[in-house]
Amino acid sequence: MMELLTPDQMARADQLTIAAGTDSYALMCKAGEAVYQQASSFWPEALRIAVLCGHGNNGGDGYVVARHYRQGGKHVYCFSDLPPHDITDAWQAQNAYTTEGGEILPLSAFDTKQFDLVIDAFYGAGLSRNITGEIADCINQLNQSGTPVCAVDLPSGISGDSGQVMGTAVKAGLTVSFFRKKPGHLLQPGREHCGWISLYNIGIEPSVLEKIQPQLFENNLELWEKLLPWADVNSHKFSRGHVAVFSGGLTATGAARLSAAAAARTGAGLVTVIAPDEALPVHAAQLTSVMLRPLQDDAAVVEFFTQRKVRAAVLGPAFGDLQRASELTLTMLQSDDLGALVLDADGLTAFKDQPQGLFDAAKAAKPALIVTPHEGEFQRLFGSVVNMQADKVTRARQASSLSNAVVIYKGADTVIAAPDGRAAINTNGNALLATAGSGDVLTGIIASLSAQGMSAFEAACAAVWIHAETANYYAEVAPKGMIAEDMPALIPQIWARLAE
């Protein structure tokens, strides 16, 4: 279930399901039952349960949850100062709860210390305004109490579109959502507020996606696994792709070697490091299977690409010379032979004062351009041309459209965006990736997959996932201590898992 739906798209999925003959109250009952099943499984010892109900459908789900807990013999109380709108599904759910003897107490009577578990059913993913007043006070009290919380759909106060906190927000241990996740489940800080996310199908058919046509995805294997390059009996080194990595000067060679090693471990048949003359002896002392070539003028670089069938290049990590980086980039984007150019670090900073020059060149280029900015680099390159107040997915999409590049907007919630509007949010990273040189490894993986024939968006998505998975593999052995030099050697372990 890789598709992500915005709150508006999820509402559309509900509407299409109801129009096809499913009763809307039946959907609510299934949603509430799902929350009850998941929460009771997560906290089976909880005896006293509070359900915090809003006046909309999320509150209606809460009343259904409360009914199930009552029927299961638990002590359950609903708290709300917001009665449901008349003659709605939420009103029907509340009526069913009270008809069976369920109590609804004012929010002022809620005391977290009296309960083993709290069900957060104030607001769902469609919240459009900041939470204030008594509900905000209640949420803050709940967060400070340490009482376990199960959120219905999305923790109250988290925007389903952006993952941002709307005034204040519940911190849940479990979030139960329905049919498909929302961007707010995966974008920070929303992801951190969700805790464990459980997705439940309440009877909405996947066929509704054909009409909704979502273009945002969770970055998982389903998105790109079938496109991964695997060698066969007829493969040779050139068919497996040639990657060129540009190096910095004498004292800035390590980043290029990290990229080169990652490219080779990801399966490229040949990898060449192109370095200034003074840096060649340093590389030669440490590289064996990776080839070396002196950095000459731009024409010689293009000729080398043609003669040696270079299919992807990495420029930027510790390169140093911003003027030369700019010139090389614009030259390579005019190449008829290069398939992809991966820009990072100095390759991005080289265009901070003239980003439009890069964007214009990319729009006319045959090679695919892939850029990998972290937050600071993103602001330097795109800050003046995109809406920096928008959510991260929107910012990445705007940057991709303007630059005609696949944008990997790095961070704890890395977003990958393509010029055609597709985007993916990565979810398998961990804190071990926060180490110097980690990004250089990523550029090598991207270039390698691109050189082996994967299209730019899928190569970027797969590379981000593989890169993060190396840290997860390391974490199985030790919680700390991983450095970037460890990562290339872990890539074959990830390939082995993918092969399974």
Side-chain angles (χ1 to χ4, degrees), residues 16 46-47 70-71 106 110 121 142 203 207 211 235 275 315 320 343-344 351 377 381 391 393 409 455 457 471:
L16 289 168
L47 296 176
R70 275 183 54 81
Q71 292 166 0
F110 173 65
L142 180 59
S207 59
K211 294 184 178 180
S235 296
L315 175 64
L343 285 187
D344 188 26
F351 291 94
E377 291 164 341
L381 188 60
D391 64 87
V393 172
Y409 192 172
S455 59
F457 178 68

Side-chain angles (χ1 to χ4, degrees), residues 401-439:
S401 176
L402 287 165
S403 63
N404 196 41
V406 169
V407 175
I408 300 175
Y409 192 172
K410 296 187 293 192
D413 51 358
T414 293
V415 174
I416 307 102
D420 62 9
R422 288 178 297 161
I425 304 172
N426 197 62
T427 58
N428 71 324
N430 71 46
L432 289 176
L433 295 172
T435 184
S438 172

Side-chain angles (χ1 to χ4, degrees), residues 52-62 80-82 107 119-136 139 150-160 166 168-170 175-176 178 185:
L52 308 178
C53 295
H55 70 286
N57 286 341
N58 207 243
D61 294 341
S80 181
D81 285 338
L82 298 169
L107 206 54
I119 306 296
D120 163 33
F122 274 139
Y123 301 103
L127 183 67
S128 59
R129 58 180 174 82
N130 283 355
I131 295 178
T132 58
E134 192 170 22
I135 292 180
I139 290 174
C150 173
V152 178
D153 192 24
L154 196 70
S156 293
I158 294 296
S159 166
M166 309 287 284
T168 189
V170 169
T175 296
V176 182
F178 317 110
H185 286 122

Side-chain angles (χ1 to χ4, degrees), residues 442-487:
L442 174 61
T443 61
I445 300 172
I446 301 164
S448 183
L449 294 175
S450 299
Q452 294 175 73
M454 287 188 79
S455 59
F457 178 68
E458 286 79 7
C461 290
V464 168
W465 187 93
I466 291 169
H467 176 254
E469 203 63 14
T470 63
N472 291 329
Y473 187 91
Y474 188 96
E476 294 175 8
V477 179
K480 285 189 176 184
M482 188 185 80
I483 58 176
E485 286 94 320
D486 297 323
M487 298 174 72

Side-chain angles (χ1 to χ4, degrees), residues 120 139 142-143 147-149 155-156 169-174 192-195:
D120 163 33
I139 290 174
L142 180 59
N143 288 342
T147 303
V149 180
S156 293
V170 169
K171 292 183 178 179
L174 169 69
E192 193 173 0
H193 278 253
C194 286

